[in-house]
Amino acid sequence: VFGILLFQLLRLQITQGSFNRNLAEGNRVRVREVSAPRGLIYDSRGEVLAKNKASFNLEIYPLDLPRSSAEKEDIFKKLSQTAQIPEAEIKDKVLKKGFSSYDPIILKENLDRDTAMILEYKTINLPGVVISKKPIREYTPVAGLGHILGYVGKMTEEDLKNNPDYRPSYQIGKSGLEIIYEKNLRGLAGLLEVEVDSKGRQQRQLSATNPLPGNNLYLSLDAQLEEKMYEALAAQVQAANSPGGAAVALNPKTGQVLGMVSYPSFDNNIFSSSEVEEKYQELMND
């Protein structure tokens, strides 16, 4: 019996000493979601009309911030100086969400890779601050397709109410085919298990489950026909001095929609840009 006790004592203090020390210091496991890429949208010839591109967000996890008010203030100050964000703005967002919230707060979004890497290096020792990779939508600039494909956007209170399995940080289809086929296009988020210490600093990655991309969507539309129809429609609308118009081309044998355009159109890529609010207002006031 004493031999067994001695063996267990040696195992706990020597073999697993480092692991148990981390536990004693307050290390804990955090499970974070990894965004899933949406399914692609193709035309009838196989041309990609909607795809995904890599983007990065600067986020903060309120739950992983230190308990000390002085330490929190120090983090807000350093983060403000590093990311060029007003300190009051960071504090307001965190206070609004609450320090017990596990959901991330997005401080900056749609960052390019170089900017994200620089920020990650500068904030690596700031507890609760994370650079996350997010796939965002990129649409092929085919004239007249903006209204049909639609766009994705941030979750609203109504979206969360109608989709209880979604999280506030998700993107969701807002119009066009993106909202009609939302359940098909959305993927299944992956999971990342990381260990953080008692001060909220990430120590190591424990496990990862890759996200599952959404289903692809194949249309009967022909992108080349779309462009020709848009050019012809635009010429006729302008010649008639009309504010706008629409045109549809159907296959009379099957009823398939081969082309469907609306004039004037818009570039739905603006909804994935960092200037979305400004450009959205321009569209609304046009």
Side-chain angles (χ1 to χ4, degrees):
V1 171
F2 279 110
I4 294 173
L5 292 175
L6 180 62
F7 171 78
Q8 180 71 351
L9 186 63
L10 292 173
R11 188 177 71 88
L12 291 175
Q13 291 192 347
I14 298 176
T15 308
Q16 297 184 351
S18 177
F19 175 76
N20 290 323
R21 183 170 61 253
N22 287 335
L23 291 180
E25 291 174 352
N27 283 23
R28 50 200 180 276
V29 175
R30 291 283 186 258
V31 179
R32 295 172 179 169
E33 285 196 346
V34 181
S35 299
R38 291 175 73 83
L40 308 184
I41 301 179
Y42 296 89
D43 80 343
S44 59
R45 297 175 182 267
E47 181 179 342
V48 179
L49 303 179
K51 57 184 178 180
N52 305 298
K53 66 177 181 179
S55 179
F56 300 85
N57 291 344
L58 172 64
E59 300 176 346
I60 187 168
Y61 285 80
L63 188 62
D64 287 336
L65 291 172
R67 295 184 179 182
S68 167
S69 298
E71 289 181 303
K72 288 191 184 79
E73 292 291 338
D74 184 53
I75 291 172
F76 294 153
K77 183 178 181 180
K78 290 180 179 178
L79 185 56
S80 174
Q81 294 171 347
T82 302
Q84 299 298 308
I85 305 173
E87 186 176 345
E89 180 182 331
I90 299 174
K91 290 172 64 176
D92 288 344
K93 287 185 176 181
V94 174
L95 289 172
K96 184 178 179 180
K97 197 75 173 180
F99 290 108
S100 61
S101 174
Y102 183 65
D103 289 325
I105 298 172
I106 299 175
L107 299 177
K108 272 192 172 183
E109 56 186 338
N110 299 336
L111 300 172
D112 60 73
R113 183 181 296 276
D114 291 341
T115 303
M117 296 303 103
I118 292 172
L119 277 176
E120 186 172 35
Y121 173 76
K122 291 182 176 180
T123 61
I124 194 168
N125 291 319
L126 293 182
V129 179
V130 174
I131 298 292
S132 66
K133 184 178 180 180
K134 303 284 185 182
I136 61 173
R137 261 319 199 209
E138 183 176 40
Y139 300 97
T140 301
V142 177
L145 268 179
H147 301 84
I148 299 169
L149 296 179
Y151 61 94
V152 296
K154 298 177 182 178
M155 298 288 293
T156 63
E157 292 295 332
E158 185 176 355
D159 290 331
L160 288 170
K161 184 178 179 181
N162 296 331
N163 302 273
D165 57 327
Y166 281 50
R167 300 179 71 89
S169 58
Y170 284 9
Q171 295 273 310
I172 190 172
K174 293 292 185 178
S175 71
L177 295 173
E178 291 281 21
I179 188 172
I180 293 171
Y181 289 95
E182 167 64 25
K183 300 299 182 184
N184 304 91
L185 291 169
R186 63 168 294 205
L188 183 63
L191 295 177
L192 181 67
E193 280 192 342
V194 296
E195 184 183 40
V196 297
D197 63 17
S198 57
K199 293 187 176 181
R201 292 174 299 199
Q202 183 172 321
Q203 298 300 298
R204 59 183 175 136
Q205 179 179 315
L206 301 177
S207 67
T209 303
N210 293 327
L212 183 66
N215 296 314
N216 296 332
L217 182 62
Y218 296 85
L219 309 180
S220 60
L221 294 175
D222 185 327
Q224 296 180 16
L225 178 61
E226 283 282 315
E227 292 187 323
K228 293 295 183 183
M229 287 177 63
Y230 187 82
E231 291 175 5
L233 177 63
Q236 291 298 318
V237 168
Q238 293 170 8
N241 196 27
S242 173
V248 181
L250 302 175
N251 182 334
K253 294 181 179 180
T254 63
Q256 284 186 321
V257 180
L258 306 179
M260 183 164 62
V261 295
S262 180
Y263 179 89
S265 185
F266 64 92
D267 181 7
N268 38 8
N269 282 306
I270 68 174
F271 297 98
S272 300
S273 71
S274 57
E275 301 174 349
V276 57
E277 293 184 8
E278 178 184 344
K279 293 184 177 180
Y280 180 77
Q281 289 303 320
E282 290 179 7
L283 277 178
M284 294 299 293
N285 295 327
D286 189 338

